Amino acid sequence: KNLSSAEVGSIPAPKNKPRRTRCRKNLEKFLKTYMPHLFSRPFSPDQKEAIGKIQRAMMDSGQFAEAMPRGTGKTTIVEGAIIWGTAYAHRKFPVVIGSDQRAAESILRDIKVEFETNDLLADDFPEICLPVRHIDGRGQRCATQTVDGERTRIEWKAGKMVFPTIKGSKSSGINIEARGLTSGVRGMKNGSLRPDFVLLDDPQTRESAESASQTQKRTDII
């Protein structure tokens, strides 16, 4: 086996550090700046309100429930918020919870695609994106990956991703997990890390919405 293929090489500095800095404390600006292919239209007042609530909860604390009509981009906003919060290390262990495991993993898959293919993110967050691109979606490459000879300990699974450990990077070792609401969310940990942020997206299935007892069970779990 050619171990040299596991070496990423040195991580360059961010290509546009002022751009990266401008978005650090502004989720709305981040979405417009780094994900224009997904957020090309102006945000509606309701979208702005939801984005503001997510930002406050992620940067400070708090909890809230927000109902939005289908087709208004709430899931995409959730995905962008997780990317923003982890890229800047506002949170170390966010958990995305969906109505079931498949729905949650679909959200995580979209998040992974951005880190893999978004050139703007790669330019300004090379400490995350370059090692991610280097594994080329192949989880078996994670165990041997190195940067400047040091193991990155990156993880790349269907329901979990762990950011590469890079010297000097605040995002080193950040863990993102995807869980279905009823698939067991207690006792989650990664090393010494415990979940520090949760985003629920469409926590009900069509079947559970038609059952008062299932609806109550899901409410109790939340």
Side-chain angles (χ1 to χ4, degrees), residues 2-220:
N2 182 9
L3 292 179
S4 65
S5 65
E7 170 63 36
V8 178
S10 297
I11 302 297
K15 189 172 183 178
N16 191 328
K17 194 170 183 179
R19 177 172 61 189
R20 172 171 166 161
T21 301
R22 283 195 299 270
C23 298
R24 180 181 299 277
K25 297 182 178 181
N26 192 321
L27 172 55
E28 182 179 337
K29 185 181 291 291
F30 176 85
L31 297 177
K32 285 292 189 181
T33 300
Y34 288 100
M35 304 172 72
H37 53 295
L38 298 175
F39 300 102
S40 58
R41 298 178 180 178
F43 287 123
S44 70
D46 287 344
Q47 288 174 318
K48 285 176 176 284
E49 180 182 0
I51 290 168
K53 287 180 177 179
I54 293 173
Q55 175 176 311
R56 288 190 293 275
M58 190 169 280
M59 293 196 69
D60 300 314
S61 64
Q63 54 187 345
F64 70 95
E66 186 84 6
M68 296 174 67
R70 290 199 176 278
T72 53
K74 60 183 182 298
T75 300
T76 310
I77 290 172
V78 164
E79 294 165 355
I82 293 292
I83 293 169
W84 171 75
T86 53
Y88 289 106
H90 295 316
R91 294 290 168 169
K92 294 287 189 179
F93 193 161
V95 180
V96 178
I97 296 180
S99 58
D100 55 28
Q101 188 65 27
R102 181 182 296 181
E105 288 181 4
S106 175
I107 293 173
L108 182 57
R109 187 162 54 248
D110 289 343
I111 290 170
K112 288 177 176 178
V113 166
E114 289 300 315
F115 283 118
E116 287 179 309
T117 66
N118 187 315
D119 290 336
L120 286 170
L121 283 177
D123 284 345
D124 291 357
F125 298 89
E127 72 278 16
I128 302 170
C129 296
L130 294 190
V132 163
R133 289 184 171 195
H134 192 262
I135 63 172
D136 196 26
R138 303 176 194 176
Q140 65 270 26
R141 291 187 172 185
C142 294
T144 57
Q145 186 185 82
T146 56
V147 167
D148 292 333
E150 298 291 331
R151 282 184 58 204
T152 64
R153 294 179 170 80
I154 189 173
E155 291 188 40
W156 200 261
K157 302 174 182 177
K160 176 179 181 178
M161 67 176 294
V162 177
F163 284 12
T165 295
I166 306 294
K167 186 176 180 180
S169 169
K170 292 182 178 180
S171 64
S172 289
I174 283 179
N175 188 83
I176 307 174
E177 291 201 29
R179 293 290 180 96
L181 183 61
T182 60
S183 62
V185 294
R186 294 184 178 180
M188 297 175 64
K189 66 190 293 288
N190 182 42
S192 61
L193 288 179
R194 294 277 188 177
D196 59 4
F197 193 77
V198 175
L199 270 172
L200 294 91
D201 182 70
D202 286 340
Q204 280 198 311
T205 62
R206 184 180 298 275
E207 178 187 11
S208 71
E210 295 175 350
S211 167
S213 62
Q214 288 192 44
T215 297
Q216 186 58 53
K217 178 181 178 181
R218 286 173 181 263
T219 302
D220 292 342

